[in-house]
Amino acid sequence: MTLAADLDLPRAALSAPALSAHGASKHSETDAAAETVLWAVPIVLLALVLAVQTWGLVALTLTAVTLVPVIFVLLIWITLP
């Protein structure tokens, strides 16, 4: 197994990306928010799968019951003028 410390790369190649001229990173805040959501989806699905493997149908039932108010609020929100 080759570690990064074993390679003869310049120190800058291993550091974080450089900031632009204005001091902002390459990604905007919306990109960061979208990335957070995209990371949250598989983590929540993994937690659900592990819960179902551990507790069975009870985990699916509790998940469905807790999501009822969330879906209800979303349906009301998308129908507002």
Side-chain angles (χ1 to χ4, degrees):
M1 180 167 86
T2 303
L3 300 175
D6 296 335
L7 299 175
D8 289 330
L9 295 175
R11 191 75 172 151
L14 299 175
S15 64
L19 297 177
S20 67
H22 297 291
S25 65
K26 291 183 178 182
H27 300 291
S28 68
E29 290 181 19
T30 56
D31 289 343
E35 186 175 346
T36 302
V37 169
L38 290 177
W39 272 106
V41 169
I43 290 171
V44 169
L45 288 177
L46 176 65
L48 181 61
V49 167
L50 292 175
V52 169
Q53 286 182 347
T54 305
W55 294 293
L57 194 58
V58 174
L60 281 179
T61 304
L62 288 175
T63 304
V65 168
T66 56
L67 284 178
V68 166
V70 174
I71 300 301
F72 188 68
V73 168
L74 284 175
L75 286 173
I76 291 173
W77 181 59
I78 64 172
T79 58
L80 290 175

Coordinates of all heavy atoms in Angstrom, one line a residue:
M1 N 0.8 -1.2 0.0 CA 0.0 0.0 0.0 C 0.9 1.2 0.0 O 1.8 1.3 0.8 CB -0.9 0.0 1.2 CG -1.8 1.2 1.3 SD -3.1 1.0 2.5 CE -2.3 1.5 4.0
T2 N 0.6 2.2 -0.9 CA 1.4 3.4 -1.0 C 0.7 4.5 -0.3 O -0.5 4.8 -0.5 CB 1.6 3.8 -2.5 OG1 2.2 2.7 -3.2 CG2 2.5 5.0 -2.6
L3 N 1.4 5.2 0.6 CA 0.9 6.3 1.3 C 1.3 7.6 0.7 O 2.3 7.6 -0.1 CB 1.3 6.3 2.8 CG 0.9 5.1 3.6 CD1 1.6 5.1 5.0 CD2 -0.6 5.0 3.7
A4 N 0.6 8.7 0.9 CA 0.9 10.0 0.3 C 2.3 10.4 0.8 O 3.0 11.1 0.1 CB -0.1 11.0 0.7
A5 N 2.7 10.0 2.0 CA 4.0 10.4 2.6 C 5.1 9.7 1.8 O 6.3 10.2 1.8 CB 4.1 10.1 4.0
D6 N 4.8 8.5 1.2 CA 5.9 7.8 0.5 C 6.1 8.3 -0.9 O 7.2 8.0 -1.5 CB 5.4 6.3 0.3 CG 5.3 5.6 1.7 OD1 6.0 6.1 2.6 OD2 4.6 4.7 1.8
L7 N 5.2 9.2 -1.4 CA 5.4 9.7 -2.8 C 6.3 11.0 -2.7 O 6.3 11.7 -1.7 CB 4.0 10.1 -3.4 CG 3.1 8.9 -3.6 CD1 1.8 9.4 -4.1 CD2 3.7 7.9 -4.5
D8 N 7.0 11.2 -3.8 CA 7.8 12.4 -3.8 C 7.1 13.5 -4.6 O 7.5 14.0 -5.6 CB 9.2 12.1 -4.6 CG 10.1 11.3 -3.7 OD1 10.0 11.4 -2.5 OD2 10.9 10.5 -4.3
L9 N 6.0 14.0 -4.0 CA 5.2 15.0 -4.6 C 5.5 16.4 -3.9 O 5.9 16.4 -2.7 CB 3.7 14.8 -4.4 CG 3.1 13.5 -5.1 CD1 1.7 13.3 -4.8 CD2 3.3 13.7 -6.6
P10 N 5.4 17.5 -4.6 CA 5.6 18.8 -4.0 C 4.6 18.9 -2.9 O 3.5 18.4 -2.9 CB 5.4 19.8 -5.1 CG 5.1 19.0 -6.3 CD 5.1 17.6 -6.0
R11 N 4.9 19.7 -1.9 CA 4.0 19.9 -0.7 C 2.7 20.6 -1.1 O 1.7 20.3 -0.5 CB 4.8 20.8 0.3 CG 4.1 20.9 1.6 CD 4.4 19.6 2.3 NE 3.9 19.8 3.7 CZ 3.4 18.8 4.4 NH1 3.4 17.6 4.0 NH2 3.0 19.0 5.6
A12 N 2.7 21.4 -2.1 CA 1.5 22.1 -2.6 C 0.5 21.1 -3.2 O -0.7 21.4 -3.1 CB 1.8 23.2 -3.6
A13 N 0.9 20.0 -3.7 CA 0.0 19.0 -4.3 C -0.8 18.3 -3.3 O -1.9 17.8 -3.6 CB 0.8 18.0 -5.2
L14 N -0.3 18.3 -2.0 CA -1.1 17.6 -1.0 C -1.9 18.5 -0.2 O -2.7 18.1 0.7 CB -0.1 16.9 -0.1 CG 0.8 15.8 -0.7 CD1 1.8 15.3 0.3 CD2 0.0 14.7 -1.3
S15 N -1.8 19.8 -0.4 CA -2.6 20.8 0.4 C -3.9 21.0 -0.2 O -4.3 20.6 -1.3 CB -1.8 22.1 0.6 OG -1.7 22.7 -0.7
A16 N -4.8 21.8 0.5 CA -6.1 22.1 0.1 C -6.0 23.1 -1.1 O -5.0 23.7 -1.3 CB -6.8 22.9 1.2
P17 N -7.0 23.1 -2.0 CA -7.0 24.0 -3.1 C -6.8 25.5 -2.7 O -7.3 25.9 -1.7 CB -8.3 23.8 -3.8 CG -9.1 22.9 -3.0 CD -8.2 22.4 -1.9
A18 N -6.1 26.2 -3.6 CA -5.8 27.6 -3.3 C -7.1 28.4 -3.5 O -8.0 28.1 -4.2 CB -4.7 28.1 -4.2
L19 N -7.1 29.5 -2.8 CA -8.2 30.5 -2.9 C -8.0 31.4 -4.1 O -6.9 31.6 -4.5 CB -8.3 31.3 -1.6 CG -8.6 30.5 -0.3 CD1 -8.6 31.5 0.9 CD2 -9.9 29.8 -0.4
S20 N -9.1 31.9 -4.6 CA -9.1 32.8 -5.7 C -8.6 34.1 -5.3 O -8.3 34.4 -4.2 CB -10.4 32.8 -6.4 OG -11.3 33.5 -5.5
A21 N -8.5 35.1 -6.2 CA -8.0 36.4 -6.0 C -8.9 37.2 -4.9 O -8.3 38.0 -4.2 CB -7.9 37.2 -7.3
H22 N -10.1 36.9 -4.9 CA -11.0 37.6 -4.0 C -11.1 36.9 -2.6 O -11.9 37.3 -1.8 CB -12.4 37.7 -4.6 CG -12.4 38.6 -5.8 ND1 -12.2 39.9 -5.8 CD2 -12.6 38.2 -7.1 CE1 -12.2 40.4 -7.0 NE2 -12.5 39.4 -7.8
G23 N -10.4 35.8 -2.4 CA -10.4 35.1 -1.1 C -11.5 34.1 -1.0 O -11.7 33.6 0.1
A24 N -12.3 33.9 -2.0 CA -13.4 32.9 -1.9 C -12.9 31.6 -2.5 O -12.1 31.5 -3.3 CB -14.6 33.5 -2.7
S25 N -13.6 30.6 -2.0 CA -13.2 29.2 -2.6 C -13.8 29.0 -3.9 O -14.6 29.8 -4.4 CB -13.6 28.2 -1.6 OG -15.1 28.2 -1.5
K26 N -13.5 28.0 -4.6 CA -14.0 27.7 -5.9 C -15.5 27.4 -5.9 O -16.2 27.6 -6.9 CB -13.2 26.5 -6.6 CG -11.8 26.8 -6.9 CD -11.1 25.7 -7.6 CE -9.7 26.0 -7.9 NZ -9.1 24.9 -8.6
H27 N -16.0 26.8 -4.8 CA -17.4 26.4 -4.8 C -18.2 27.5 -4.1 O -17.7 28.2 -3.1 CB -17.5 25.1 -4.0 CG -16.8 24.0 -4.6 ND1 -17.2 23.4 -5.8 CD2 -15.7 23.3 -4.2 CE1 -16.4 22.4 -6.0 NE2 -15.5 22.3 -5.1
S28 N -19.4 27.8 -4.6 CA -20.2 28.8 -4.0 C -21.0 28.1 -2.8 O -20.9 26.9 -2.6 CB -21.2 29.3 -5.0 OG -22.1 28.3 -5.4
E29 N -21.7 29.0 -2.1 CA -22.5 28.5 -1.0 C -23.6 27.5 -1.4 O -23.9 26.6 -0.7 CB -23.1 29.6 -0.2 CG -22.0 30.5 0.6 CD -22.7 31.6 1.3 OE1 -23.9 31.5 1.6 OE2 -21.9 32.5 1.7
T30 N -24.2 27.7 -2.6 CA -25.2 26.8 -3.0 C -24.6 25.5 -3.4 O -25.3 24.5 -3.2 CB -26.0 27.4 -4.2 OG1 -25.0 27.7 -5.3 CG2 -26.7 28.7 -3.9
D31 N -23.4 25.5 -3.9 CA -22.8 24.2 -4.2 C -22.5 23.4 -3.0 O -22.7 22.2 -2.9 CB -21.5 24.4 -5.0 CG -21.7 24.9 -6.4 OD1 -22.8 24.7 -6.9 OD2 -20.7 25.4 -7.0
A32 N -22.1 24.1 -1.9 CA -21.8 23.5 -0.6 C -23.1 22.9 0.0 O -23.1 21.8 0.5 CB -21.2 24.5 0.3
A33 N -24.2 23.7 -0.2 CA -25.5 23.2 0.4 C -26.0 22.0 -0.4 O -26.5 21.0 0.2 CB -26.5 24.3 0.3
A34 N -25.8 22.0 -1.7 CA -26.2 20.9 -2.5 C -25.4 19.7 -2.2 O -25.9 18.6 -2.2 CB -26.1 21.3 -4.0
E35 N -24.1 19.9 -2.0 CA -23.2 18.8 -1.7 C -23.6 18.2 -0.3 O -23.6 17.0 -0.2 CB -21.8 19.2 -1.7 CG -20.8 18.1 -1.5 CD -19.4 18.6 -1.6 OE1 -19.1 19.7 -2.1 OE2 -18.5 17.8 -1.2
T36 N -24.0 19.0 0.6 CA -24.4 18.5 1.9 C -25.7 17.7 1.8 O -25.7 16.6 2.4 CB -24.7 19.7 2.9 OG1 -23.5 20.5 2.9 CG2 -25.1 19.2 4.2
V37 N -26.6 18.1 1.0 CA -27.8 17.3 0.8 C -27.5 16.0 0.1 O -28.0 15.0 0.5 CB -28.9 18.2 0.0 CG1 -30.0 17.3 -0.4 CG2 -29.3 19.3 0.8
L38 N -26.7 16.1 -0.9 CA -26.3 14.9 -1.6 C -25.5 13.9 -0.8 O -25.6 12.7 -1.0 CB -25.5 15.2 -2.9 CG -26.4 15.9 -4.0 CD1 -25.5 16.3 -5.2 CD2 -27.5 15.0 -4.4
W39 N -24.8 14.3 0.2 CA -24.2 13.4 1.1 C -25.2 12.9 2.2 O -25.0 11.8 2.7 CB -23.0 14.1 1.9 CG -21.7 14.0 1.1 CD1 -21.1 15.0 0.4 CD2 -20.9 12.9 0.9 NE1 -20.0 14.6 -0.2 CE2 -19.8 13.3 0.1 CE3 -21.0 11.6 1.4 CZ2 -18.8 12.4 -0.2 CZ3 -20.0 10.7 1.0 CH2 -18.9 11.1 0.2
A40 N -26.2 13.7 2.5 CA -27.1 13.3 3.6 C -28.0 12.2 3.1 O -28.4 11.3 3.9 CB -27.9 14.5 4.0
V41 N -28.4 12.2 1.8 CA -29.3 11.2 1.3 C -28.8 9.8 1.4 O -29.5 8.9 2.0 CB -29.7 11.5 -0.2 CG1 -30.5 10.4 -0.8 CG2 -30.5 12.8 -0.3
P42 N -27.6 9.5 1.0 CA -27.1 8.1 1.1 C -26.9 7.7 2.6 O -27.0 6.6 3.0 CB -25.8 8.0 0.3 CG -25.4 9.4 0.0 CD -26.7 10.3 0.1
I43 N -26.5 8.7 3.4 CA -26.3 8.4 4.9 C -27.6 8.1 5.5 O -27.7 7.1 6.3 CB -25.6 9.6 5.5 CG1 -24.2 9.8 5.0 CG2 -25.6 9.5 7.1 CD1 -23.5 11.0 5.5
V44 N -28.7 8.8 5.2 CA -30.0 8.5 5.8 C -30.5 7.1 5.3 O -31.0 6.3 6.0 CB -31.0 9.6 5.5 CG1 -32.4 9.2 5.8 CG2 -30.6 10.9 6.2
L45 N -30.3 6.9 4.0 CA -30.7 5.6 3.4 C -29.9 4.4 4.1 O -30.5 3.4 4.4 CB -30.5 5.6 1.9 CG -31.6 6.4 1.2 CD1 -31.2 6.4 -0.3 CD2 -33.0 5.9 1.4
L46 N -28.6 4.6 4.3 CA -27.8 3.6 5.0 C -28.3 3.4 6.4 O -28.4 2.2 6.8 CB -26.3 4.0 5.0 CG -25.4 3.1 5.7 CD1 -25.3 1.7 5.0 CD2 -24.0 3.7 5.8
A47 N -28.6 4.5 7.1 CA -29.1 4.3 8.5 C -30.5 3.6 8.4 O -30.7 2.7 9.3 CB -29.3 5.7 9.1
L48 N -31.3 3.8 7.4 CA -32.6 3.1 7.3 C -32.4 1.6 7.1 O -33.0 0.8 7.7 CB -33.5 3.7 6.3 CG -34.8 3.1 6.0 CD1 -35.7 3.2 7.3 CD2 -35.5 3.8 4.9
V49 N -31.5 1.3 6.2 CA -31.2 -0.1 5.9 C -30.6 -0.8 7.1 O -31.0 -1.9 7.4 CB -30.2 -0.2 4.7 CG1 -29.6 -1.6 4.5 CG2 -30.9 0.2 3.4
L50 N -29.7 -0.2 7.8 CA -29.2 -0.8 9.0 C -30.2 -0.9 10.1 O -30.3 -1.9 10.8 CB -28.0 0.0 9.6 CG -26.8 0.1 8.7 CD1 -25.7 1.0 9.3 CD2 -26.2 -1.3 8.5
A51 N -31.2 0.0 10.2 CA -32.2 -0.1 11.2 C -33.2 -1.2 10.8 O -33.6 -2.0 11.7 CB -33.0 1.2 11.2
V52 N -33.5 -1.4 9.5 CA -34.3 -2.5 9.1 C -33.6 -3.8 9.3 O -34.3 -4.8 9.8 CB -34.7 -2.4 7.6 CG1 -35.4 -3.6 7.1 CG2 -35.6 -1.1 7.4
Q53 N -32.3 -3.9 9.1 CA -31.6 -5.2 9.4 C -31.6 -5.5 10.9 O -31.6 -6.6 11.3 CB -30.2 -5.1 8.9 CG -30.1 -5.2 7.4 CD -28.6 -5.2 6.9 OE1 -27.7 -4.8 7.7 NE2 -28.4 -5.5 5.6
T54 N -31.6 -4.4 11.7 CA -31.5 -4.6 13.1 C -32.9 -4.9 13.7 O -33.1 -5.9 14.5 CB -30.9 -3.4 13.8 OG1 -29.6 -3.1 13.2 CG2 -30.8 -3.6 15.3
W55 N -33.9 -4.1 13.4 CA -35.2 -4.2 14.1 C -36.3 -4.7 13.1 O -37.4 -4.8 13.6 CB -35.6 -2.8 14.6 CG -34.7 -2.4 15.7 CD1 -34.6 -3.0 17.0 CD2 -33.8 -1.3 15.7 NE1 -33.6 -2.3 17.7 CE2 -33.1 -1.3 17.0 CE3 -33.4 -0.3 14.8 CZ2 -32.2 -0.3 17.3 CZ3 -32.5 0.6 15.1 CH2 -31.9 0.6 16.4
G56 N -36.1 -4.8 11.9 CA -37.1 -5.4 11.0 C -38.1 -4.3 10.5 O -37.8 -3.2 10.4
L57 N -39.3 -4.8 10.4 CA -40.4 -4.0 9.9 C -40.8 -2.9 10.8 O -41.3 -1.9 10.4 CB -41.7 -4.9 9.7 CG -42.8 -4.4 8.9 CD1 -42.3 -3.9 7.5 CD2 -43.9 -5.4 8.8
V58 N -40.5 -3.0 12.1 CA -40.7 -1.9 13.0 C -40.0 -0.6 12.6 O -40.6 0.5 12.7 CB -40.3 -2.3 14.5 CG1 -40.5 -1.2 15.4 CG2 -41.1 -3.5 14.9
A59 N -38.8 -0.7 12.1 CA -38.0 0.5 11.7 C -38.7 1.1 10.5 O -38.8 2.4 10.4 CB -36.6 0.0 11.3
L60 N -39.2 0.3 9.6 CA -39.9 1.0 8.4 C -41.2 1.6 8.9 O -41.5 2.7 8.4 CB -40.2 -0.1 7.4 CG -39.1 -0.5 6.5 CD1 -39.5 -1.6 5.5 CD2 -38.5 0.6 5.7
T61 N -41.9 1.0 9.8 CA -43.2 1.6 10.3 C -42.9 2.9 11.0 O -43.6 3.9 10.7 CB -43.9 0.6 11.2 OG1 -44.0 -0.7 10.5 CG2 -45.2 1.1 11.6
L62 N -41.9 2.9 11.9 CA -41.6 4.2 12.6 C -41.1 5.3 11.6 O -41.5 6.4 11.8 CB -40.6 3.9 13.7 CG -41.1 3.1 14.9 CD1 -40.0 2.8 15.8 CD2 -42.2 3.9 15.6
T63 N -40.4 4.9 10.6 CA -39.9 5.9 9.6 C -41.1 6.5 8.9 O -41.2 7.7 8.7 CB -38.9 5.2 8.7 OG1 -37.9 4.7 9.4 CG2 -38.4 6.2 7.7
A64 N -42.0 5.6 8.5 CA -43.2 6.1 7.7 C -44.1 7.0 8.6 O -44.6 8.0 8.1 CB -44.0 4.9 7.2
V65 N -44.3 6.6 9.8 CA -45.1 7.4 10.8 C -44.5 8.8 11.0 O -45.1 9.8 11.0 CB -45.3 6.6 12.1 CG1 -45.9 7.5 13.1 CG2 -46.2 5.4 11.8
T66 N -43.1 8.8 11.2 CA -42.5 10.1 11.4 C -42.4 11.0 10.2 O -42.4 12.2 10.3 CB -41.1 9.9 11.9 OG1 -40.3 9.1 11.0 CG2 -41.1 9.3 13.3
L67 N -42.5 10.4 9.0 CA -42.5 11.2 7.7 C -43.9 11.7 7.3 O -43.9 12.6 6.5 CB -41.9 10.4 6.6 CG -40.4 10.2 6.6 CD1 -39.9 9.3 5.5 CD2 -39.7 11.6 6.6
V68 N -44.9 11.2 7.9 CA -46.3 11.7 7.6 C -46.4 13.2 7.8 O -46.8 13.9 6.9 CB -47.4 10.9 8.4 CG1 -48.7 11.6 8.3 CG2 -47.5 9.5 7.9
P69 N -46.1 13.8 8.9 CA -46.2 15.3 9.1 C -45.3 16.0 8.1 O -45.6 17.1 7.6 CB -45.8 15.6 10.5 CG -45.7 14.3 11.2 CD -45.6 13.2 10.2
V70 N -44.1 15.5 7.8 CA -43.2 16.2 6.9 C -43.8 16.2 5.5 O -43.8 17.3 4.8 CB -41.8 15.4 6.8 CG1 -40.9 16.0 5.8 CG2 -41.2 15.4 8.2
I71 N -44.3 15.1 5.0 CA -45.0 15.1 3.7 C -46.2 16.0 3.7 O -46.5 16.7 2.7 CB -45.3 13.7 3.3 CG1 -44.0 12.8 3.2 CG2 -46.1 13.6 1.9 CD1 -43.0 13.3 2.2
F72 N -47.0 16.0 4.8 CA -48.2 16.8 4.9 C -47.8 18.3 4.7 O -48.4 19.1 4.0 CB -48.9 16.6 6.2 CG -50.2 17.2 6.3 CD1 -51.3 16.8 5.5 CD2 -50.4 18.2 7.2 CE1 -52.5 17.4 5.7 CE2 -51.6 18.8 7.4 CZ -52.7 18.4 6.6
V73 N -46.7 18.7 5.4 CA -46.3 20.1 5.3 C -45.8 20.4 3.9 O -46.1 21.5 3.4 CB -45.2 20.4 6.4 CG1 -44.5 21.7 6.2 CG2 -45.9 20.4 7.8
L74 N -45.1 19.5 3.3 CA -44.6 19.8 2.0 C -45.7 19.9 1.0 O -45.7 20.7 0.1 CB -43.6 18.6 1.5 CG -42.2 18.7 2.1 CD1 -41.5 17.4 1.7 CD2 -41.5 19.9 1.7
L75 N -46.8 19.1 1.1 CA -47.9 19.2 0.2 C -48.6 20.5 0.4 O -49.0 21.1 -0.6 CB -48.9 18.0 0.5 CG -48.4 16.7 -0.1 CD1 -49.4 15.6 0.4 CD2 -48.4 16.7 -1.6
I76 N -48.7 21.0 1.6 CA -49.4 22.3 1.8 C -48.5 23.4 1.3 O -49.0 24.3 0.6 CB -49.6 22.5 3.3 CG1 -50.7 21.6 3.8 CG2 -50.0 24.0 3.6 CD1 -51.0 21.6 5.3
W77 N -47.2 23.3 1.5 CA -46.2 24.3 1.0 C -46.2 24.5 -0.5 O -46.2 25.6 -1.1 CB -44.8 24.0 1.5 CG -43.8 25.0 1.1 CD1 -43.7 26.3 1.4 CD2 -42.6 24.7 0.3 NE1 -42.6 26.9 0.8 CE2 -41.9 25.9 0.2 CE3 -42.1 23.5 -0.3 CZ2 -40.7 26.0 -0.5 CZ3 -40.9 23.6 -0.9 CH2 -40.2 24.8 -1.1
I78 N -46.3 23.3 -1.3 CA -46.3 23.4 -2.7 C -47.6 23.9 -3.3 O -47.6 24.3 -4.5 CB -45.8 22.1 -3.4 CG1 -46.8 21.0 -3.1 CG2 -44.4 21.7 -3.0 CD1 -46.6 19.7 -3.9
T79 N -48.7 23.8 -2.5 CA -50.0 24.3 -3.1 C -50.3 25.8 -2.7 O -51.3 26.3 -3.2 CB -51.1 23.4 -2.5 OG1 -51.1 23.4 -1.1 CG2 -51.0 22.0 -3.0
L80 N -49.4 26.4 -1.9 CA -49.6 27.8 -1.6 C -49.4 28.7 -2.8 O -48.5 28.4 -3.6 CB -48.7 28.2 -0.5 CG -48.9 27.6 0.9 CD1 -47.9 28.1 1.9 CD2 -50.3 28.0 1.4
P81 N -50.2 29.7 -3.0 CA -50.1 30.6 -4.1 C -48.8 31.4 -4.1 O -48.2 31.7 -3.1 CB -51.3 31.5 -4.1 CG -51.9 31.3 -2.8 CD -51.4 30.1 -2.2

